[in-house]
């Protein structure tokens, strides 16, 4: 009964505190001691016994009482630290407190407790991995205590949620700034502990099926909180500062005495200076293992624990690649990058119809855009795809490049309306890898041509100011493959020949006003952005479920707009030895309406939807804020004259007569004969001089930094429901919406 009594007394004290309007003297010990009585209250108890609304009422009505409660016991001191700093330092100390959050090293009785201020916390890192070889004995109680402390830290850091999104991303979070500064003597061991706990976690549990059902897994909540604290402390806009330099000469321990170069945020600093191959291997294997976890389909349902924090992992992986270029190159050095690629494609395909997972779609695409800026990524995609992860896509035999193209086609043709702003990114990724793709499957080749067919209808080209960009991207893909990978790509060449009328129609696109108006009236009656007809989808993979929309009523958080592709990337030219040089923006700027408007990633549906077509078109396409944009003959001419059709027209001119001759001579309707002919054909000396390869590399910018901040806090808000720390508070960074 004792525990229930003490809870009751505690609750009475809270009611007294929240209803008193007069200040209570700090010396009234009988009153204040009720709060510190030895009650074994859990976090859930505190949330139940001290309703957040009541604390806010105290703050409004009698702030002096709240202050006394917070400061009780601290003697007034002129030089005292601000309360926030004392709180953060106390939490940091507690995270390395022997017998509370870490194993005590001395075999001593409790009465000679180690002085918490004198211990070297680097000896108490929570898990083996980066910079620490010893894996401590797992301890359920320590993990629980760490988890509660990390939740408290997150709550302290959550000031960011109460500031509206601003384009000025330099306003750093003072709580994070202080915690990740040299003022926190535990910064290095804590950063290492968080990173190692996340990357060492194996949810399957020593490979024994159903193991997680026997031992209630107390590690997972710790790993989740650790991942969330990590991404919040690494919220840093690398575009405003010189990127952290990585010279690879400093070691983990030599970092402590000297003032670190690079960012003041020590977590960002340490992350950017990891450089040992075995550390990179440990991190990459850990992240890949966790990202693949939801894909692990075993014959025993529920035999493996399914983790839920893949969004936090994707943000962490993004930060690693963005802040540590050596890590990025390590990831691309071997085919291990495919262990990251396949889960990302799985998530993209699975979330394409679900409006509550728009943020997940963006982060997945951003990571692939970042990777695609490096030549090695395109080369790695040529590895045959044999892992059969059940996905709702057509069955195919081919490479990882085929998988990527087929999934992207699925997203574009059967995703929900709000993914339109991502189309430029998706096609930019395909352009970036296209010069390195040795052999596309027939399924993937047909998908690319189906996209060209859909994007080059007059209705689509004339209905929004930037739609023709998509056609340019696709033509660039075909040109890269024909010029640089003709041998081995007979499937694509055959598909181009079969669909040659699409290219002829583009070359003869009408530009007079009457035809433009007629094209616009051909508008489909269906709200589908792209016809799914003649996309020959065939049978989906065995064991896959179709991508489902969100359950009605699902909570989601709003996102800020992402920058257009021209702001998101910069062009680099690949020279013959494979090195890249950045291209300065050309002096002849295209007309203003040629620039992509910043896409509204969470705004109304785009103009492919039947509702309010006028309003949507204006939103996506008006060249000026007033008046509605309408396509003009001059506008069509301005880009039609630049369509890069020469290479393809030359290919058709040479090959079509030869293919037709074979068909007539041999009375053939058989694909395999034609493919055999194309495999041995050559166009050497017949095509125009190869164009230089252009890669659009992701560049850091404050727009994406702000997007990451709203996305990340939105995820943290929705995932922390027990206790519901932030529910019903006045969050300003994003809106909470129901699907």
């Amino acid at each position: 009964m004792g525990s229930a009594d003490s809870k009751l007394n505690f609750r009475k004290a809270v009611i007294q505190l929240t209803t008193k309007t007069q200040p209570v003297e700090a010396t009234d010990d009988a009153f204040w001691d009720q709060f510190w009585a030895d009650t074994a209250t859990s976090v859930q108890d505190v949330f139940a016994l001290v309703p957040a609304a009541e604390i806010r009422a105290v703050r409004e009505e009698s702030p002096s009482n709240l202050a006394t409660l917070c400061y009780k016991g601290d003697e007034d001191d002129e030089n005292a630290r601000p309360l926030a700093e004392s709180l953060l330092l106390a939490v940091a100390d507690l995270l390395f407190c022997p017998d509370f959050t870490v194993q005590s090293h001395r075999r001593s009785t409790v009465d000679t407790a180690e002085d918490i201020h004198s211990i070297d916390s680097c000896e108490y890192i929570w898990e083996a991995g980066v910079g620490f070889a010893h894996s401590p004995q797992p301890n359920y109680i320590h993990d629980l205590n760490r988890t509660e402390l990390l939740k408290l830290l997150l709550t302290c850091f959550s000031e960011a949620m109460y500031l509206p999104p601003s384009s000025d991303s330099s306003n750093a979070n003072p709580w994070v700034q202080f915690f990740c500064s040299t003022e926190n003597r535990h910064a290095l061991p804590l950063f290492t502990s968080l990173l190692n706990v996340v990357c060492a976690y194996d949810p399957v549990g020593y490979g024994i099926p159903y193991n997680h059902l026997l031992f209630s897994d107390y590690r997972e909540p710790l790993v989740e909180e650790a991942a969330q604290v990590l991404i919040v402390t690494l919220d840093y806009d690398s575009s405003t500062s010189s990127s952290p330099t990585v010279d690879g000469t400093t070691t983990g321990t030599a970092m402590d005495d000297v003032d670190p170069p690079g960012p003041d945020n020590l977590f960002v600093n340490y992350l950017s200076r990891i450089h040992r191959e075995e550390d990179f291997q440990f991190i990459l294997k850990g992240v890949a293992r966790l990202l693949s976890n939801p894909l692990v389909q075993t014959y025993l349902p529920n035999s493996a624990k399914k983790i839920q924090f893949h969004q936090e992992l994707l943000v962490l992986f993004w930060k690693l690649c963005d802040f540590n270029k050596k890590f990025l190159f390590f990831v691309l050095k071997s085919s291990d990058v495919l262990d990251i690629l396949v889960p990302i494609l799985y998530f993209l395909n699975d979330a394409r119809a679900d409006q509550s997972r728009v943020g997940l779609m963006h982060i997945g695409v951003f990571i692939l855009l970042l990777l695609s800026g490096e030549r090695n990524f395109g080369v790695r995609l040529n590895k045959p795809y044999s892992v059969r992860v059940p996905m709702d896509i057509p069955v195919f035999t081919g490479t990882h490049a085929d998988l990527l193209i087929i999934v992207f086609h699925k997203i574009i043709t059967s995703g929900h309306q709000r993914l339109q702003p991502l189309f430029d990114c998706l096609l930019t990724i395909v352009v970036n890898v296209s010069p390195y793709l040795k052999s596309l499957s027939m399924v993937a080749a047909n998908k690319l041509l189906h996209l060209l067919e859909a994007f080059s209808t007059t209705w689509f080209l004339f209905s929004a100011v930037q739609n023709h960009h998509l056609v340019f991207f696709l033509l660039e893909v075909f040109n890269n493959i024909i010029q640089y990978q003709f041998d081995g790509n007979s499937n694509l060449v055959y598909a181009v020949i079969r669909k040659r009328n699409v290219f002829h129609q583009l070359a003869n696109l009408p530009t007079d006003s009457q035809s433009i108006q007629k094209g616009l009236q051909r508008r489909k009656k269906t709200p589908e952005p792209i016809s799914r007809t003649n996309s020959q989808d065939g049978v989906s993979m065995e064991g896959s479920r179709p991508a489902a929309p969100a359950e009605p009523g699902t909570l989601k958080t709003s996102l800020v707009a992402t920058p257009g592709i021209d702001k998101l990337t910069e062009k680099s030219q690949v020279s013959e030895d494979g090195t890249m040089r950045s291209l300065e923006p050309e002096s002849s700027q295209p007309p203003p309406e040629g620039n992509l408007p910043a896409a509204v990633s969470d705004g109304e549906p785009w103009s492919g939807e039947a509702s309010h077509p006028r309003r949507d078109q204006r939103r996506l396409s008006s060249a000026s804020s007033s008046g509605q944009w309408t396509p003009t003959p001059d506008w069509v001419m301005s880009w039609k004259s630049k369509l890069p059709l020469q290479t393809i027209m030359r290919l058709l001119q040479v090959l079509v007569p030869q293919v037709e001759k074979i068909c007539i001579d041999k009375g053939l309707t058989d694909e395999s004969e034609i493919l055999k002919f194309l495999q041995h054909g050559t166009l050497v000396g017949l095509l125009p001089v190869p164009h230089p390869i252009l890669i659009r590399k992701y560049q850091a910018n404050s727009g994406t930094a702000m997007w990451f901040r709203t996305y990340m806090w939105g995820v943290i808000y929705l995932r922390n429901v027990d206790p519901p720390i932030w529910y019903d508070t006045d969050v300003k960074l994003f809106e909470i919406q129901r699907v």
Side-chain angles (χ1 to χ4, degrees):
M1 185 62 196
S3 136
D5 278 349
S6 62
K7 276 186 194 173
L8 195 63
N9 292 338
F10 181 73
R11 178 69 189 131
K12 276 186 193 153
V14 172
I15 293 171
Q16 280 180 310
L17 176 68
T18 52
T19 50
K20 279 189 198 299
T21 46
Q22 297 306 310
V24 182
E25 286 303 314
T27 48
D28 181 355
D29 286 340
F31 177 74
W32 294 111
D33 284 348
Q34 308 175 84
F35 294 99
W36 316 121
D38 189 19
T39 54
T41 37
S42 70
V43 177
Q44 276 71 15
D45 289 342
V46 174
F47 263 81
L49 299 171
V50 192
E54 292 184 11
I55 287 290
R56 281 180 215 123
V58 176
R59 185 184 65 194
E60 301 304 322
E61 306 291 329
S62 42
S64 62
N65 285 350
L66 186 60
T68 310
L69 176 66
C70 294
Y71 278 107
K72 186 66 186 150
D74 277 2
E75 299 311 311
D76 285 337
D77 175 12
E78 285 306 300
N79 313 321
R81 283 184 174 279
L83 199 57
E85 294 187 2
S86 313
L87 175 63
L88 289 172
L89 293 178
V91 172
D93 279 339
L94 285 172
L95 285 167
F96 294 99
C97 175
D99 293 326
F100 181 62
T101 47
V102 291
Q103 216 67 51
S104 174
H105 284 191
R106 300 195 191 147
R107 297 203 186 92
S108 61
T109 49
V110 181
D111 46 68
T112 60
E114 295 167 78
D115 180 9
I116 196 160
H117 293 294
S118 66
I119 70 167
D120 175 10
S121 45
C122 283
E123 296 172 10
Y124 290 90
I125 288 171
W126 300 349
E127 186 56 80
V130 176
F132 195 67
H134 166 68
S135 184
Q137 219 21 66
N139 182 313
Y140 165 68
I141 301 295
H142 293 175
D143 275 2
L144 262 165
N145 293 336
R146 292 164 176 174
T147 305
E148 299 304 352
L149 285 164
L150 292 181
K151 279 192 175 167
L152 173 56
L153 261 189
L154 266 186
T155 312
C156 293
F157 294 158
S158 66
E159 173 179 302
M161 283 198 210
Y162 300 95
L163 301 170
S166 71
S167 52
D168 172 29
S169 55
S170 57
N171 50 1
N173 183 329
W175 295 79
V176 172
Q177 223 172 355
F178 177 81
F179 192 78
C180 297
S181 73
T182 45
E183 296 272 351
N184 178 1
R185 68 187 191 93
H186 303 295
L188 179 62
L190 185 60
F191 170 75
T192 315
S193 295
L194 295 172
L195 186 63
N196 292 353
V197 155
V198 171
C199 295
Y201 179 55
D202 182 1
V204 175
Y206 317 107
I208 306 166
Y210 297 105
N211 203 19
H212 68 285
L213 299 177
L214 305 177
F215 309 97
S216 141
D217 187 349
Y218 48 86
R219 210 9 89 99
E220 190 185 11
L222 173 64
V223 176
E224 277 194 25
E225 295 300 322
Q228 292 177 1
V229 169
L230 262 182
I231 61 179
V232 168
T233 47
L234 294 170
D235 178 14
Y236 177 81
D237 182 358
S238 56
S239 69
T240 52
S241 60
S242 55
S243 211
T245 48
V246 188
D247 58 359
T249 51
T250 47
T251 60
T253 44
M255 290 196 232
D256 304 340
D257 334 316
V258 285
D259 265 354
D264 301 329
N265 178 325
L266 291 180
F267 280 31
V268 174
N269 200 323
Y270 298 145
L271 183 79
S272 69
R273 290 160 67 190
I274 298 171
H275 61 273
R276 294 184 357 206
E277 295 257 313
E278 56 268 44
D279 289 343
F280 286 158
Q281 188 62 26
F282 164 75
I283 294 171
L284 181 58
K285 279 271 180 275
V287 173
R289 177 193 323 114
L290 291 171
L291 283 179
S292 315
N293 163 273
L295 287 59
V296 180
Q297 295 278 350
T298 56
Y299 297 109
L300 308 166
N302 303 326
S303 64
K305 188 179 181 74
K306 195 168 175 182
I307 61 158
Q308 302 295 334
F309 54 99
H310 45 275
Q311 300 192 86
E312 293 93 320
L313 286 167
L314 289 171
V315 176
L316 179 61
F317 183 77
W318 169 269
K319 301 275 179 201
L320 281 158
C321 293
D322 197 21
F323 295 157
N324 190 325
K325 287 298 167 255
K326 286 199 165 175
F327 177 75
L328 176 63
F329 299 143
F330 177 84
V331 168
L332 293 164
K333 207 171 67 174
S334 74
S335 52
D336 286 352
V337 66
L338 303 175
D339 298 334
I340 300 284
L341 170 76
V342 172
I344 289 179
L345 291 176
Y346 173 86
F347 293 129
L348 290 179
N349 188 56
D350 188 55
R352 69 179 192 265
D354 182 343
Q355 298 218 3
S356 68
R357 291 197 283 168
V358 149
L360 171 63
M361 298 293 294
H362 278 74
I363 173 106
V365 172
F366 283 158
I367 289 174
L368 299 184
L369 180 65
L370 181 70
L371 295 174
S372 76
E374 308 299 329
R375 172 183 177 274
N376 262 353
F377 182 64
V379 174
R380 298 284 158 241
L381 290 179
N382 289 309
K383 188 175 175 183
Y385 176 68
S386 48
V387 219
R388 287 280 169 247
V389 176
M391 285 165 86
D392 170 31
I393 52 171
V395 177
F396 70 99
T397 305
T399 65
H400 284 76
D402 294 307
L403 176 69
L404 177 132
I405 288 169
I406 291 167
V407 169
F408 283 10
H409 172 269
K410 201 80 166 160
I411 294 168
I412 291 172
T413 55
S414 66
H416 60 78
Q417 306 290 358
R418 291 191 174 162
L419 298 181
Q420 162 103 11
L422 282 176
F423 290 3
D424 288 311
C425 275
L426 292 169
L427 292 188
T428 297
I429 294 164
V430 180
V431 173
N432 283 348
V433 301
S434 60
Y436 312 110
L437 304 184
K438 291 193 167 20
S439 159
L440 286 183
S441 70
M442 191 59 94
V443 177
N446 284 336
K447 297 298 178 208
L448 286 175
L449 278 138
H450 176 243
L451 288 180
L452 182 72
E453 225 175 338
F455 288 148
S456 58
T457 62
T458 48
W459 167 75
F460 186 78
L461 283 174
F462 297 157
S463 65
V465 74
Q466 78 289 356
N467 282 356
H468 63 276
H469 289 236
L470 300 172
V471 168
F472 276 77
F473 286 141
L474 285 164
L475 290 175
E476 209 176 321
V477 170
F478 298 137
N479 288 340
N480 283 342
I481 293 178
I482 291 166
Q483 287 283 17
Y484 292 98
Q485 299 287 351
F486 180 82
D487 301 339
N489 269 303
S490 51
N491 287 330
L492 182 76
V493 174
Y494 178 64
V496 167
I497 291 174
R498 272 187 53 227
K499 293 283 184 190
R500 56 190 178 276
N501 62 327
V502 180
F503 299 97
H504 289 302
Q505 279 165 4
L506 266 177
N508 301 318
L509 190 73
T511 56
D512 59 286
S513 306
Q514 203 183 352
S515 306
I516 293 175
Q517 283 317 306
K518 212 163 95 187
L520 282 172
Q521 276 147 21
R522 274 203 202 130
R523 167 164 205 150
K524 299 271 180 296
K525 291 288 171 280
T526 58
E528 289 303 343
I530 283 176
S531 75
R532 295 187 198 173
T533 49
N534 64 19
S535 140
Q536 310 111 357
D537 241 12
V539 188
S540 271
M541 295 173 92
E542 197 182 337
S544 67
R545 294 191 315 273
E551 293 282 320
T554 307
L555 286 181
K556 72 188 188 77
T557 54
S558 63
L559 294 163
V560 292
T562 49
I565 195 75
D566 51 345
K567 296 271 185 304
L568 209 55
T569 55
E570 63 179 5
K571 287 186 182 155
S572 301
Q573 192 169 315
V574 182
S575 43
E576 294 190 357
D577 60 356
T579 53
M580 291 195 194
R581 60 184 185 85
S582 178
L583 293 180
E584 290 306 306
E586 298 133 32
S587 49
S588 60
Q589 282 296 319
E593 83 253 12
N595 287 338
L596 286 172
V600 182
S601 47
D602 238 17
E604 307 102 52
W606 65 297
S607 55
E609 192 154 288
S611 62
H612 312 295
R614 278 246 171 84
R615 188 182 69 193
D616 293 341
Q617 255 171 42
R618 186 164 67 242
R619 182 171 65 71
L620 274 169
S621 21
S622 57
S624 62
S625 50
S626 62
Q628 189 176 342
W629 174 83
T630 45
T632 61
D634 285 349
W635 172 77
V636 178
M637 278 306 294
S638 72
W639 54 261
K640 179 190 167 181
S641 59
K642 297 196 188 88
L643 284 169
L645 287 164
Q646 304 81 332
T647 301
I648 294 172
M649 287 311 188
R650 185 79 186 115
L651 171 136
L652 292 173
Q653 204 184 342
V654 174
L655 292 179
V656 169
Q658 300 182 352
V659 170
E660 284 178 338
K661 186 172 185 308
I662 295 180
C663 294
I664 293 165
D665 289 357
K666 305 200 173 170
L668 274 184
T669 47
D670 182 23
E671 285 188 358
S672 57
E673 284 294 318
I674 300 168
L675 284 169
K676 206 174 290 174
F677 161 73
L678 291 174
Q679 265 159 11
H680 300 101
T682 175
L683 290 174
V684 175
L686 296 172
L687 291 178
V689 179
H691 54 285
I693 296 175
L694 276 187
I695 302 289
R696 292 172 184 81
K697 287 175 79 100
Y698 167 81
Q699 58 172 354
N701 60 80
S702 47
T704 37
M706 195 65 232
W707 184 89
F708 271 95
R709 184 175 302 169
T710 52
Y711 170 56
M712 166 179 87
W713 278 110
V715 168
I716 291 171
Y717 177 94
L718 291 173
R719 303 260 296 107
N720 282 277
V721 289
D722 183 27
I725 306 180
W726 297 286
Y727 274 32
D728 294 332
T729 62
D730 189 14
V731 173
K732 294 200 171 59
L733 185 62
F734 45 77
E735 291 171 27
I736 295 99
Q737 303 159 335
R738 284 193 186 275
V739 174

